[in-house]
Amino acid sequence: MKLGDWLDERTGYRAISRKFVEATVPGGARFAYAWGAALGIVLLLEAVTGVLLMTVYSPSATTAWASVAYLQQKVPGGWIVRGLHQFGAQAAIVLAVIHVGYAIARGAYRKPRELTYWLSLAMVGLVVVTALTGNPLRWDQRGFWGLRVETGIIGTVPVVGGVLQQLLLGGGTPGHMTLSRLYTLHTVVLPFLLGAIAAKHLWLSRKHGPALATPADAVKSDRYFPTQAARDVIVAVAVLGVIGALTWMRHGAPLDAPADPTSDYPARPEWYFLALYEMRKPFPGKLELIATVVIPGLVAGYLVLLPLLDKKADRGVMKRLPLLAPVGLFGVAAGVLTFASMRTDAADAEFGKAVAKAEAQGTKALALAQEGVPPEGALAMLRNHPETRRVALFEQHCASCHRMGDLGPPKDKDTAPDLTGFGTKAWAKRVMEEPDHDAMFGKTAFKGEMPSMTKPPADPEAAKAFTAMAPADLDAIADFLAVQAQGKKGEGLPGEKLVSQRCTSCHRFDGKTDDEDSLAPELRGWASVPWILAQIDDPGSGATYPKGAMDPKLEGHMPAFKDKLSEKDRALLAKFVQEQAGK
Amino acid sequence: MQNDLGGEPPRAERPEEPSRVDGSRRGALKVLVALGGAAYAGAIVVPAVTMLAPSSEGGAGAARWMRVCRLAELTEGEPRRVVVVGDERDAYTVTKDQLLGSIWVTKKGESVTALSAVCPHLGCSIDLNGDKKSFSCPCHTSKFSLAGAAEAGPSPRGMDPLVVRVVDGHVEVDFKLFRQGIAERKEVG
Ligand code: FES
């Protein structure tokens, strides 16, 4: 007994494949019939790529983005699978609409095919909903803000809206539970529903066969295999070509920066929802439900009722024009609205800027993710990375008094020396020339404590005795101080001698000063990283300024950050201030 | 392809009678099936609904004071966007120092006011207009006055105010989130 016989006896597969090979297509094979088959094949592609994605994806607010970034960047071929899945989903929407559109134009919704038609409408809806539940799973900005708006719309639906919204979110705000629920819907509930409906739809359309255009077609007939099958495959492969090309061009599917509820992300819906998005614009306030619920409901209702309204015997498009006109109108309106929405955004410079900013953020996040994402999640990664964090730290703790480059207190609100270029030769020179300038010590309690080396004092008596420091000496001291800021000792430099001769009457140098009561700071190692760090840790410690000069308890002095910031953060800030000087 | 040795034995013919049981036993069995079915369905549906229904748990109503910035950083009358950072409890994790949301704070003399930056319409992020005289939401162009009153667009209510206090020169805010899309101001957990 052969294996084939053995198997056939138990499964009856021969009869099944014979049925498939010998199936006929009444009226003859057509390319127009291939859209449905192509949709089926794309859905199969979605299932296979979806299962593959599930082997990497991890649905929680802290891991989702990271796992997708990992898939996109590190998993071999991961980006291809992701691209095929995402563009496949969009192709499925397009194919489903074409398929149903053709059925409507052809009048294929009429008796006895009403159910077949209704099931196909349900499929369009399910394909879209499945795509919608898939988008937020990657937990990037686009997916996240899209979800916020979509669930927001659901929340406005009268009566059930609130509960439905909470059910979807798994609580009040989007988070872990939201992802678990969307994931369950997207990977289990909706695909099973879709599969079941597709199977029934296919079975019914086989049972009834295609709706024939003319009675003359009734005499024609083709074998499904290979005449129609070839057409199905040609269309499906062409569609696959488009999906593949898009995947290749975008290197997988786009991935924005991780979802950040604090950002000013310019949210826009996916392209297939732009028409709905645009339509709401003329309906302000309470009327909005007209755009979000009433009009879409009426359109869907009309499409559902179509088979019941169309009672004419004739299938000719012309004869059914009054019934088809509204459907055509929906299509045209959707196209026009989509186009209008795209044009408004394209013309909006502000929006363009916001999009560019979001894209830059995304690129940065992906670059950081290359090194691995910490368990706190991708958003924390972005926020805690030294590059981002030190700016945030400075803004939060220093920029209310100090200015440094672009960072700083509101206009004229600075009360402490300007740190732009702190530790450079220019800064050192300036503090010797005009120590009481607003950008130096002019707004601090030290104003008036240090005399200018080049300008005579205001008091006429003192001015008489004043001799300006020679430019060469000034230069040498500034040079020496700039070297200190670099963290080098600079021993033997001409400036070192000058400092010990001319500055130590007030300043400390290697801890020594001629005037123990002076408040002037230590110049050895001035503006170097350890010096700045010591100042941040505790200005009153005596390491930078003499003890008591900077007592943080004194009004208007710099506070100590030793207990307020972690050691890491303080080190980060000290290095930041020093590094910025070089820029 | 019948195999004489290993073939299946012939099956019993179907009984002529529609059922072997009489009327009253039939009724009892029907009830049994219905009750058993209901018990089975209930055992699945009840826990399912309990499990999926949105939990009432959550911090709604409790004050969550968060330090957001220093008073000195604010310019008189000019709203500034500040980020609210705090510990985030999300289902099964607590994460330190998370970005919880952003708010607009404005200093007016000695007092400070705060408005949630979440658009009451559908939850986009509200921005300050270039002239600093009003707020707007880029999503569906809702417009708000500096005080947060809804002026144009689809927003069903004004921006949501938050309670603020100043402690040691620091601005602190009682951070809350509100439901979107409805005219009432209802807090979410
Ligand atoms: S979310 Fe702000 S206007 Fe719609």
Side-chain angles (χ1 to χ4, degrees), chain B residues 24-101:
Chain B
S24 66
R25 259 182 86 191
R26 250 175 90 83
L29 288 177
K30 268 187 184 166
V31 171
L32 187 76
V33 170
L35 282 180
Y40 213 104
I44 297 169
V45 170
V46 173
V49 170
T50 332
M51 189 185 137
L52 293 177
S55 73
S56 55
E57 175 226 6
R64 278 147 295 175
W65 290 102
M66 313 262 186
R67 211 161 249 213
V68 291
C69 65
R70 304 226 291 188
L71 188 59
E73 292 164 25
L74 302 175
T75 308
E76 184 69 31
E78 187 177 298
R80 175 169 165 178
R81 186 197 281 271
V82 294
V83 161
V84 180
V85 177
D87 294 355
E88 181 178 54
R89 171 144 213 136
D90 180 3
Y92 41 83
T93 55
V94 179
T95 321
K96 294 231 171 302
D97 284 351
Q98 287 296 294
L99 297 171
L100 301 180

Side-chain angles (χ1 to χ4, degrees), chain A residues 149 277 280 288, chain B residues 118-126 136-144 152-155 180:
Chain A
V149 173
Y277 168 75
R280 64 189 318 143
E288 185 158 56
Chain B
V118 180
C119 182
H121 178 223
L122 294 175
C124 283
S125 190
I126 296 174
S136 67
C137 177
C139 292
H140 320 95
T141 57
S142 278
K143 216 178 146 210
F144 307 91
S155 182
Q180 296 134 22

Side-chain angles (χ1 to χ4, degrees), chain A residues 143-224:
Chain A
F144 176 81
W145 289 95
L147 172 80
R148 281 246 304 227
V149 173
E150 283 148 17
T151 52
I153 294 175
I154 291 174
T156 61
V157 175
V159 193
V160 289
V163 175
L164 204 62
Q165 183 185 16
Q166 294 226 336
L167 212 57
L168 270 175
L169 292 180
T173 45
H176 290 323
M177 298 305 264
T178 317
L179 279 171
S180 302
R181 289 191 178 189
L182 289 180
Y183 188 54
T184 313
L185 280 175
H186 185 76
T187 58
V188 181
V189 181
L190 295 171
F192 271 96
L193 265 177
L194 195 55
I197 290 182
K200 188 76 203 168
H201 172 81
L202 187 67
W203 187 79
L204 281 177
S205 45
R206 270 293 158 97
K207 180 177 157 78
H208 297 303
L212 299 182
T214 60
D217 282 341
V219 289
K220 269 198 273 172
S221 175
D222 276 324
R223 280 276 172 89
Y224 174 76

